mmCIF file of all heavy atoms in Angstrom:
data_model
loop_
_atom_site.group_PDB
_atom_site.id
_atom_site.type_symbol
_atom_site.label_atom_id
_atom_site.label_comp_id
_atom_site.label_asym_id
_atom_site.label_seq_id
_atom_site.Cartn_x
_atom_site.Cartn_y
_atom_site.Cartn_z
ATOM 1 N N ILE A 296 15.702 -10.153 -5.686
ATOM 2 C CA ILE A 296 15.143 -8.982 -6.366
ATOM 3 C C ILE A 296 14.293 -8.166 -5.407
ATOM 4 O O ILE A 296 14.412 -6.939 -5.330
ATOM 5 C CB ILE A 296 14.307 -9.416 -7.586
ATOM 6 C CG1 ILE A 296 15.220 -9.963 -8.680
ATOM 7 C CG2 ILE A 296 13.469 -8.257 -8.109
ATOM 8 C CD1 ILE A 296 14.478 -10.609 -9.829
ATOM 9 N N GLU A 297 13.439 -8.847 -4.652
ATOM 10 C CA GLU A 297 12.552 -8.129 -3.730
ATOM 11 C C GLU A 297 13.345 -7.390 -2.661
ATOM 12 O O GLU A 297 12.987 -6.267 -2.269
ATOM 13 C CB GLU A 297 11.566 -9.108 -3.090
ATOM 14 C CG GLU A 297 10.447 -8.436 -2.296
ATOM 15 C CD GLU A 297 9.615 -7.470 -3.127
ATOM 16 O OE1 GLU A 297 9.413 -7.731 -4.334
ATOM 17 O OE2 GLU A 297 9.183 -6.437 -2.559
ATOM 18 N N TYR A 298 14.430 -7.975 -2.190
ATOM 19 C CA TYR A 298 15.295 -7.294 -1.231
ATOM 20 C C TYR A 298 15.811 -5.986 -1.826
ATOM 21 O O TYR A 298 15.795 -4.936 -1.172
ATOM 22 C CB TYR A 298 16.462 -8.189 -0.844
ATOM 23 C CG TYR A 298 17.545 -7.462 -0.073
ATOM 24 C CD1 TYR A 298 17.441 -7.267 1.301
ATOM 25 C CD2 TYR A 298 18.663 -6.941 -0.730
ATOM 26 C CE1 TYR A 298 18.421 -6.573 2.002
ATOM 27 C CE2 TYR A 298 19.642 -6.244 -0.036
ATOM 28 C CZ TYR A 298 19.523 -6.069 1.323
ATOM 29 O OH TYR A 298 20.486 -5.370 2.007
ATOM 30 N N LEU A 299 16.271 -6.031 -3.073
ATOM 31 C CA LEU A 299 16.803 -4.828 -3.716
ATOM 32 C C LEU A 299 15.703 -3.789 -3.932
ATOM 33 O O LEU A 299 15.920 -2.590 -3.717
ATOM 34 C CB LEU A 299 17.459 -5.192 -5.041
ATOM 35 C CG LEU A 299 18.793 -5.937 -4.941
ATOM 36 C CD1 LEU A 299 19.208 -6.492 -6.304
ATOM 37 C CD2 LEU A 299 19.890 -5.021 -4.395
ATOM 38 N N LEU A 300 14.523 -4.230 -4.356
ATOM 39 C CA LEU A 300 13.433 -3.280 -4.594
ATOM 40 C C LEU A 300 13.001 -2.602 -3.302
ATOM 41 O O LEU A 300 12.738 -1.390 -3.278
ATOM 42 C CB LEU A 300 12.247 -3.993 -5.252
ATOM 43 C CG LEU A 300 12.499 -4.603 -6.636
ATOM 44 C CD1 LEU A 300 11.213 -5.206 -7.183
ATOM 45 C CD2 LEU A 300 13.061 -3.578 -7.600
ATOM 46 N N ARG A 301 12.908 -3.365 -2.221
ATOM 47 C CA ARG A 301 12.561 -2.757 -0.926
ATOM 48 C C ARG A 301 13.643 -1.783 -0.482
ATOM 49 O O ARG A 301 13.351 -0.755 0.127
ATOM 50 C CB ARG A 301 12.375 -3.834 0.140
ATOM 51 C CG ARG A 301 11.122 -4.685 -0.039
ATOM 52 C CD ARG A 301 10.772 -5.394 1.274
ATOM 53 N NE ARG A 301 11.912 -6.100 1.824
ATOM 54 C CZ ARG A 301 12.198 -7.377 1.577
ATOM 55 N NH1 ARG A 301 11.415 -8.075 0.768
ATOM 56 N NH2 ARG A 301 13.255 -7.955 2.120
ATOM 57 N N ARG A 302 14.880 -2.093 -0.789
ATOM 58 C CA ARG A 302 16.004 -1.247 -0.407
ATOM 59 C C ARG A 302 15.897 0.145 -1.020
ATOM 60 O O ARG A 302 16.393 1.118 -0.478
ATOM 61 C CB ARG A 302 17.307 -1.923 -0.871
ATOM 62 C CG ARG A 302 18.586 -1.321 -0.359
ATOM 63 C CD ARG A 302 19.763 -1.982 -1.048
ATOM 64 N NE ARG A 302 21.039 -1.710 -0.428
ATOM 65 C CZ ARG A 302 21.703 -0.561 -0.532
ATOM 66 N NH1 ARG A 302 21.181 0.424 -1.224
ATOM 67 N NH2 ARG A 302 22.875 -0.406 0.065
ATOM 68 N N SER A 303 15.256 0.240 -2.181
ATOM 69 C CA SER A 303 15.157 1.524 -2.869
ATOM 70 C C SER A 303 14.277 2.521 -2.127
ATOM 71 O O SER A 303 14.446 3.730 -2.267
ATOM 72 C CB SER A 303 14.584 1.325 -4.276
ATOM 73 O OG SER A 303 13.186 1.059 -4.222
ATOM 74 N N GLN A 304 13.286 2.012 -1.376
ATOM 75 C CA GLN A 304 12.334 2.839 -0.638
ATOM 76 C C GLN A 304 11.574 3.804 -1.557
ATOM 77 O O GLN A 304 11.196 4.900 -1.148
ATOM 78 C CB GLN A 304 13.037 3.617 0.485
ATOM 79 C CG GLN A 304 13.643 2.712 1.547
ATOM 80 C CD GLN A 304 14.246 3.474 2.707
ATOM 81 O OE1 GLN A 304 14.661 4.626 2.583
ATOM 82 N NE2 GLN A 304 14.295 2.836 3.856
ATOM 83 N N ARG A 305 11.360 3.394 -2.801
ATOM 84 C CA ARG A 305 10.531 4.210 -3.698
ATOM 85 C C ARG A 305 9.066 3.988 -3.335
ATOM 86 O O ARG A 305 8.571 2.856 -3.357
ATOM 87 C CB ARG A 305 10.779 3.825 -5.159
ATOM 88 C CG ARG A 305 12.176 4.179 -5.668
ATOM 89 C CD ARG A 305 12.284 3.891 -7.160
ATOM 90 N NE ARG A 305 13.619 4.085 -7.668
ATOM 91 C CZ ARG A 305 14.107 5.247 -8.106
ATOM 92 N NH1 ARG A 305 13.342 6.327 -8.071
ATOM 93 N NH2 ARG A 305 15.346 5.322 -8.571
ATOM 94 N N ARG A 306 8.357 5.045 -3.016
ATOM 95 C CA ARG A 306 6.979 4.927 -2.543
ATOM 96 C C ARG A 306 6.015 4.518 -3.642
ATOM 97 O O ARG A 306 5.000 3.869 -3.380
ATOM 98 C CB ARG A 306 6.536 6.258 -1.935
ATOM 99 C CG ARG A 306 7.328 6.658 -0.688
ATOM 100 C CD ARG A 306 6.854 7.988 -0.155
ATOM 101 N NE ARG A 306 7.616 8.396 1.019
ATOM 102 C CZ ARG A 306 7.440 9.549 1.654
ATOM 103 N NH1 ARG A 306 6.511 10.404 1.227
ATOM 104 N NH2 ARG A 306 8.174 9.857 2.717
ATOM 105 N N ASP A 307 6.304 4.917 -4.885
ATOM 106 C CA ASP A 307 5.364 4.643 -5.975
ATOM 107 C C ASP A 307 5.707 3.380 -6.760
ATOM 108 O O ASP A 307 5.020 3.044 -7.728
ATOM 109 C CB ASP A 307 5.291 5.837 -6.930
ATOM 110 C CG ASP A 307 6.678 6.326 -7.360
ATOM 111 O OD1 ASP A 307 7.678 5.683 -6.970
ATOM 112 O OD2 ASP A 307 6.762 7.337 -8.075
ATOM 113 N N ASP A 308 6.762 2.682 -6.367
ATOM 114 C CA ASP A 308 7.145 1.425 -7.014
ATOM 115 C C ASP A 308 7.368 1.578 -8.522
ATOM 116 O O ASP A 308 7.030 0.691 -9.313
ATOM 117 C CB ASP A 308 6.098 0.339 -6.760
ATOM 118 C CG ASP A 308 6.169 -0.201 -5.330
ATOM 119 O OD1 ASP A 308 7.092 0.189 -4.596
ATOM 120 O OD2 ASP A 308 5.291 -1.003 -4.955
ATOM 121 N N VAL A 309 7.928 2.695 -8.922
ATOM 122 C CA VAL A 309 8.349 2.913 -10.302
ATOM 123 C C VAL A 309 9.700 3.609 -10.276
ATOM 124 O O VAL A 309 10.068 4.227 -9.268
ATOM 125 C CB VAL A 309 7.342 3.757 -11.119
ATOM 126 C CG1 VAL A 309 5.995 3.073 -11.224
ATOM 127 C CG2 VAL A 309 7.203 5.156 -10.537
ATOM 128 N N PHE A 310 10.449 3.521 -11.376
ATOM 129 C CA PHE A 310 11.723 4.227 -11.452
ATOM 130 C C PHE A 310 11.868 4.846 -12.835
ATOM 131 O O PHE A 310 11.309 4.351 -13.820
ATOM 132 C CB PHE A 310 12.903 3.300 -11.148
ATOM 133 C CG PHE A 310 13.073 2.155 -12.105
ATOM 134 C CD1 PHE A 310 13.966 2.232 -13.165
ATOM 135 C CD2 PHE A 310 12.355 0.973 -11.953
ATOM 136 C CE1 PHE A 310 14.132 1.173 -14.040
ATOM 137 C CE2 PHE A 310 12.524 -0.095 -12.819
ATOM 138 C CZ PHE A 310 13.411 0.012 -13.871
ATOM 139 N N PRO A 311 12.621 5.948 -12.932
ATOM 140 C CA PRO A 311 12.717 6.658 -14.210
ATOM 141 C C PRO A 311 13.920 6.206 -15.042
ATOM 142 O O PRO A 311 14.956 5.808 -14.516
ATOM 143 C CB PRO A 311 12.896 8.113 -13.762
ATOM 144 C CG PRO A 311 13.704 7.994 -12.496
ATOM 145 C CD PRO A 311 13.218 6.726 -11.821
ATOM 146 N N ILE A 312 13.756 6.282 -16.357
ATOM 147 C CA ILE A 312 14.858 6.113 -17.303
ATOM 148 C C ILE A 312 14.717 7.211 -18.349
ATOM 149 O O ILE A 312 13.623 7.400 -18.909
ATOM 150 C CB ILE A 312 14.834 4.754 -18.012
ATOM 151 C CG1 ILE A 312 14.901 3.602 -17.012
ATOM 152 C CG2 ILE A 312 16.002 4.642 -18.999
ATOM 153 C CD1 ILE A 312 14.877 2.230 -17.674
ATOM 154 N N ARG A 313 15.788 7.921 -18.615
ATOM 155 C CA ARG A 313 15.738 8.931 -19.662
ATOM 156 C C ARG A 313 15.548 8.273 -21.035
ATOM 157 O O ARG A 313 16.061 7.198 -21.299
ATOM 158 C CB ARG A 313 17.018 9.760 -19.676
ATOM 159 C CG ARG A 313 17.102 10.803 -18.575
ATOM 160 C CD ARG A 313 18.400 11.590 -18.691
ATOM 161 N NE ARG A 313 18.418 12.722 -17.785
ATOM 162 C CZ ARG A 313 18.869 12.671 -16.519
ATOM 163 N NH1 ARG A 313 19.328 11.516 -16.039
ATOM 164 N NH2 ARG A 313 18.862 13.736 -15.752
ATOM 165 N N ARG A 314 14.836 8.989 -21.913
ATOM 166 C CA ARG A 314 14.609 8.489 -23.270
ATOM 167 C C ARG A 314 15.916 8.288 -24.021
ATOM 168 O O ARG A 314 16.005 7.466 -24.933
ATOM 169 C CB ARG A 314 13.701 9.457 -24.031
ATOM 170 C CG ARG A 314 13.332 8.974 -25.432
ATOM 171 C CD ARG A 314 12.546 10.015 -26.187
ATOM 172 N NE ARG A 314 11.184 10.077 -25.713
ATOM 173 C CZ ARG A 314 10.331 11.058 -26.028
ATOM 174 N NH1 ARG A 314 10.750 12.076 -26.770
ATOM 175 N NH2 ARG A 314 9.088 11.040 -25.586
ATOM 176 N N GLU A 315 16.962 9.015 -23.636
ATOM 177 C CA GLU A 315 18.247 8.912 -24.331
ATOM 178 C C GLU A 315 18.871 7.523 -24.178
ATOM 179 O O GLU A 315 19.795 7.179 -24.916
ATOM 180 C CB GLU A 315 19.215 9.977 -23.820
ATOM 181 C CG GLU A 315 19.539 9.868 -22.349
ATOM 182 C CD GLU A 315 20.175 11.128 -21.785
ATOM 183 O OE1 GLU A 315 19.986 12.216 -22.341
ATOM 184 O OE2 GLU A 315 20.866 11.001 -20.762
ATOM 185 N N PHE A 316 18.386 6.729 -23.265
ATOM 186 C CA PHE A 316 18.839 5.343 -23.163
ATOM 187 C C PHE A 316 18.416 4.560 -24.408
ATOM 188 O O PHE A 316 19.101 3.628 -24.835
ATOM 189 C CB PHE A 316 18.257 4.693 -21.906
ATOM 190 C CG PHE A 316 18.668 3.258 -21.699
ATOM 191 C CD1 PHE A 316 19.991 2.918 -21.499
ATOM 192 C CD2 PHE A 316 17.721 2.237 -21.697
ATOM 193 C CE1 PHE A 316 20.377 1.591 -21.304
ATOM 194 C CE2 PHE A 316 18.088 0.918 -21.499
ATOM 195 C CZ PHE A 316 19.427 0.597 -21.306
ATOM 196 N N ILE A 317 17.281 4.957 -25.003
ATOM 197 C CA ILE A 317 16.774 4.319 -26.214
ATOM 198 C C ILE A 317 17.396 4.964 -27.450
ATOM 199 O O ILE A 317 17.886 4.267 -28.343
ATOM 200 C CB ILE A 317 15.236 4.440 -26.303
ATOM 201 C CG1 ILE A 317 14.573 4.045 -24.968
ATOM 202 C CG2 ILE A 317 14.699 3.626 -27.470
ATOM 203 C CD1 ILE A 317 14.778 2.633 -24.573
ATOM 204 N N ARG A 318 17.356 6.277 -27.487
ATOM 205 C CA ARG A 318 17.856 7.033 -28.641
ATOM 206 C C ARG A 318 18.471 8.321 -28.129
ATOM 207 O O ARG A 318 17.838 9.061 -27.378
ATOM 208 C CB ARG A 318 16.718 7.307 -29.617
ATOM 209 C CG ARG A 318 17.206 7.854 -30.953
ATOM 210 C CD ARG A 318 16.275 7.434 -32.064
ATOM 211 N NE ARG A 318 16.701 7.973 -33.363
ATOM 212 C CZ ARG A 318 17.591 7.390 -34.145
ATOM 213 N NH1 ARG A 318 18.171 6.268 -33.759
ATOM 214 N NH2 ARG A 318 17.912 7.924 -35.312
ATOM 215 N N THR A 319 19.696 8.603 -28.532
ATOM 216 C CA THR A 319 20.433 9.710 -27.932
ATOM 217 C C THR A 319 20.953 10.672 -28.994
ATOM 218 O O THR A 319 20.972 10.351 -30.193
ATOM 219 C CB THR A 319 21.601 9.172 -27.085
ATOM 220 O OG1 THR A 319 22.146 10.221 -26.296
ATOM 221 C CG2 THR A 319 22.694 8.579 -27.971
#
C-alpha cells in the first residue's frame, strides 16, 4: 500500500472522489 501511495506523488496525502459515487 505504501509503495502505491508514494507512487501517486500527491503532496497533500489526500485524494478526491466525486459525490456521485455515493448518490448519482
